Every structure is written in structure tokens, then in C-alpha cells.
Amino acid sequence: MDSTAIRFASLGSGSKGNGTLVASGGHCLLVDCGFTIKETERRMARLGLTPADLSAILVTHEHSDHMSGVGPLARKYRLPVYLTPGTLRARDIGTLPHTELIEGHQPFAIGDIQVTPVAVPHDAREAAQFVFRACGRSLGLLTDLGTITPHVESHFGDCDALVLEANHDPMMLAQGPYPPSLKRRVGGAYGHLSNQQAAGFLQRVGCERLQHLVVAHISEKNNSLPLAQAALSDAVEQVRNCIFACQQEGFDWLTIDPVE
């Protein structure tokens, strides 16, 4: 693994389980784990790693598709877990080998990787997304939020690479199988970003700096790849590399070119 750059990959992205790997300087972090131990090991092996290679697990929020596998994996591999106090209180995940409580605005470091938690509006106790900095570059992970606030935009508007949610198409959500209460939650201010919200954010901040854009957390019931691609097509014209993550395969390792 190249220790002179930020690399990132996904174990899977969607309502059936999430996990993102971020690596630099000999350290590898797993952001969220919504899979069983066996499935996490299988998906990491596909990317050339085992959980023993991890330095820590970071948790964005307590929903099962992001947190169900955190406790078991941390206990088996004796991994520290970084999460907000609200996320820790929101779900009983049992005794952890080592817990690091973080705040939604206070940066911290794991090895050479500086991590900035960013509070986001989501229907969870104390949700946070993350910006990672190393080698003079930055990577933003921005999923599971219902609104792009000025606070969010200020942190994620100048990243060199970005994993961005485009969860649903509003028409598909409205006409889809979810009950009305769930439709209101998903499409509300504390739910998930639509294709159009994601596109609007990219148009406001510009994409000239982005080496990689990964469109993620695409709903299998309330969105489609063609709809997401069409909604984002104008916004991503200047992105060097744009890919769409899937639930089953996530995406393979991407490398952010270091500062020369």
C-alpha cells in the first residue's frame, strides 16, 4: 500500500451495509461497519486487506447499516472505536476494547491522518461525517444527511476527493413502496440527499479540484443509476474521475495524487 498518498475504497454502500477504508502513512481506518465479521473479512480480502491491518474504526452514526458490525469486529481484532457520545449512547454495542469519544467539530489525528468530524443533519442522535487530510490532500465522506447546511458546505467544498450521497429520486420515492412515514423521513431535512440536492451542492462549490468523485448510498428502491447519472451529468463534467458505488461491490482502491 502506497504510504505517500491517501487511498480509499468501499466494502459496500447502501441500506444493506456500509464500510469505507481510508489509508495513508501506514495506517488504515474503517469508517462504519454494517456487515458481519465474516462478510467484512470477505470484502476486505477482495481489497487485499484483513481487519488485522486496521488501525481503528470510526462510526458516523448508530443506524444498523453503518454500525451493526462495529462491536463484533472491534472485539475480535482489539480495535479502538471513534464515535460521538450521542452515537455511543444511542445503541448498546457491548463492551469495546477501547473507546475514543469525538466531538462534531474537533479535529484529531490517527497516525499521519488528520480527521475532522463534521456534524450533519440526520435522524440519528449525534451524526457526524468526516474529512481526512494527509500528504497535503483531503478526502471528504459525505453521506446520510438530509440537508447541505452552510456548515457542511464550508468543510466539504474544497476536497480533493469526495464520496457524496445521491440517495433517491424524489419521484421514485413518492411513487415507491415505502410507507408514507418512511417517505417523509427519507425525503426530509434529516433524511437523505436526493440526486438533485447532490447536484446542487456540486454546482455551488465547483468540481475543478476534484480528482475523484464517488456517488454513493444510492437507494436500490428509490433511485436508479441512469437517473442519478442524468441528474449529476452537468455538475460532474470537470471531475477527473467520477464513479457510482454499488451495494454489493462498493468500489476498488482510488488514490489521491499527493502534492508534488
Side-chain angles (χ1 to χ4, degrees):
M1 182 172 295
D2 184 359
S3 63
T4 64
I6 303 178
R7 286 163 42 95
F8 61 107
S10 171
L11 306 184
S13 178
S15 60
K16 295 178 181 177
N18 295 272
T20 306
L21 296 168
V22 179
S24 183
H27 290 270
C28 186
L29 314 178
L30 175 61
V31 183
D32 292 334
C33 184
F35 306 104
T36 64
I37 292 176
K38 182 177 181 180
E39 186 65 12
T40 301
E41 291 170 338
R42 185 188 73 80
R43 290 176 183 240
M44 287 191 67
R46 187 182 70 224
L47 295 165
L49 295 176
T50 75
D53 296 310
L54 295 173
S55 300
I57 304 173
L58 283 64
V59 184
T60 60
H61 63 293
E62 69 271 14
H63 292 166
S64 295
D65 56 327
H66 293 262
M67 196 176 183
S68 63
V70 170
L73 192 72
R75 285 186 284 273
K76 179 175 180 179
Y77 288 94
R78 309 299 299 173
L79 294 168
V81 177
Y82 291 71
L83 71 177
T84 64
T87 298
L88 179 64
R89 290 194 299 266
R91 185 186 180 106
D92 182 8
I93 58 173
T95 302
L96 297 172
H98 183 74
T99 303
E100 288 282 352
L101 296 180
I102 61 177
E103 299 181 25
H105 60 276
Q106 186 64 44
F108 60 92
I110 301 175
D112 296 329
I113 305 174
Q114 185 188 62
V115 185
T116 301
V118 181
V120 297
H122 193 49
D123 57 347
R125 183 75 64 88
E126 193 179 2
Q129 295 294 313
F130 298 102
V131 177
F132 301 89
R133 292 180 174 84
C135 309
R137 299 297 192 189
S138 62
L139 162 68
L141 302 186
L142 186 58
T143 67
D144 294 83
L145 72 165
T147 308
I148 299 287
T149 64
H151 175 71
V152 169
E153 195 162 302
S154 69
H155 282 280
F156 289 90
D158 61 352
C159 292
D160 297 290
L162 180 64
V163 178
L164 176 65
E165 172 175 79
N167 174 258
H168 62 276
D169 171 77
M171 186 63 69
M172 280 191 69
L173 176 64
Q175 298 176 349
Y178 283 3
S181 60
L182 184 53
K183 290 180 181 180
R184 288 192 296 269
R185 184 185 76 80
V186 171
Y190 294 88
H192 292 273
L193 295 182
S194 69
N195 296 337
Q196 290 73 20
Q197 285 174 294
F201 165 68
L202 293 172
Q203 288 169 340
R204 288 193 303 274
V205 301
C207 296
E208 297 85 357
R209 181 171 175 172
L210 281 178
Q211 296 183 23
H212 304 286
L213 171 65
V214 179
V215 182
H217 219 303
I218 301 170
S219 173
E220 294 180 306
K221 293 183 177 180
N222 301 307
N223 207 352
S224 71
L225 184 57
L227 285 173
Q229 290 172 328
L232 292 162
S233 60
D234 290 341
V236 304
E237 284 182 349
Q238 294 178 301
V239 178
R240 187 186 308 177
N241 179 41
C242 178
I243 66 173
F244 289 76
C246 69
Q247 177 68 81
Q248 294 303 318
E249 299 298 329
F251 58 87
D252 206 346
W253 288 107
L254 298 171
T255 300
I256 305 174
D257 294 338
V259 176
E260 295 181 357

